[in-house]
Amino acid sequence: MSISEKIKELHTTLPKHVTLVAVSKTKPVADLQEAYDAGQRVFGENKIQEMAEKWEVLPKDISWHMIGHVQRNKVKYMAAFVDLIHGVDSLKLLKEIDKQAKKHHRIIKCLLQIKIAEEDSKFGMSSADASSLLASAECTQLENIQIVGVMGMATFTDDTTQVQKEFNNLKTTFDHLQAQHASLEIISMGMSGDYELAIKEGSTMVRIGSSIFGARNYTSASQVNP
């Protein structure tokens, strides 16, 4: 199937309450444009420079999501346009996002990244840390960010029982946090290999890349021209 056919199929089969983030990292602008022409409006990138280059040339009604690990010194390069930052794992990062958003008179939405995987390579905070952060005076004083939910990445494994358990842990964390903070509404979990399981466990936002665009070509990650 073509990119446009895959997009249309996903739009048809995904539940209405689930947002599809088309993960377009390393993919050329022509591929994103094809997805856009098929009706896709939300795209996820994990490199700020690459996302900024694509933002420059693609339609301006696209909602750009930063799904990778964010370095504080790079926030300024996306503050003018990024719609949602998935991987917020510290108060320091939140403060920097707030600072840069203020310069552009914007409010940037953020998700707290919760560590649910057993792999050491995965970033994220504990449920207790997230609860403390949301309740802190320093966090509530930030006026140019809006924390709207949580994000998590399951262990890269074929053990669906383990993945299901990790997704369930994120849903439990979300429920606990939402009880104190009603503004939370997004649970971002699930990728190409496990998004159906993630949805069953409560995901409201899935990040799908290879199932739409095919395998990634990391040798041309910076190539954004059609």
Side-chain angles (χ1 to χ4, degrees), residues 11 51 125 137 152 181 197 221:
H11 285 180
M51 181 171 67
M125 59 180 69
H181 308 277
L197 178 58

Side-chain angles (χ1 to χ4, degrees), residues 8-10 13 22 24 52 59 70 95 112 128 133 135 149 157 163 220 226:
K8 290 174 182 177
E9 182 181 61
L10 283 165
T13 57
S24 48
V70 179
K95 287 181 175 179
L112 297 182
L133 187 152
T157 176
V163 173
S220 61

Side-chain angles (χ1 to χ4, degrees), residues 161-180:
T161 300
Q162 181 179 347
V163 173
Q164 183 176 18
K165 178 183 177 181
E166 292 170 356
F167 284 156
N168 183 262
N169 286 344
L170 186 61
K171 177 63 164 62
T172 299
T173 293
F174 172 82
D175 290 343
H176 171 72
L177 296 174
Q178 191 189 45
Q180 280 83 43

Side-chain angles (χ1 to χ4, degrees), residues 63-77:
S63 174
W64 292 100
H65 289 204
M66 178 59 190
I67 62 172
H69 184 64
V70 179
Q71 294 175 293
R72 295 200 304 276
N73 64 343
K74 299 287 182 65
V75 173
K76 59 188 175 185
Y77 299 116

Side-chain angles (χ1 to χ4, degrees), residues 98-173:
D98 181 77
K99 174 185 172 183
Q100 298 300 332
K102 189 173 184 178
K103 292 180 181 179
H104 294 277
H105 310 288
R106 300 185 68 228
I107 294 175
I108 296 177
K109 296 176 183 177
C110 300
L111 301 178
L112 297 182
Q113 183 169 357
I114 309 299
K115 183 172 170 51
I116 58 174
E118 294 182 359
E119 297 166 311
D120 291 336
S121 61
K122 297 291 193 296
F123 294 96
M125 59 180 69
S126 68
S127 175
D129 288 342
S131 181
S132 296
L133 187 152
L134 285 168
S136 69
E138 286 183 290
C139 181
T140 56
Q141 289 169 0
L142 300 178
E143 298 180 345
N144 290 82
I145 59 101
Q146 182 183 3
I147 299 173
V148 294
V150 298
M151 183 271 267
M153 297 177 66
T155 301
F156 186 69
T157 176
D158 292 329
D159 185 349
T160 56
T161 300
Q162 181 179 347
V163 173
Q164 183 176 18
K165 178 183 177 181
E166 292 170 356
F167 284 156
N168 183 262
N169 286 344
L170 186 61
K171 177 63 164 62
T172 299
T173 293

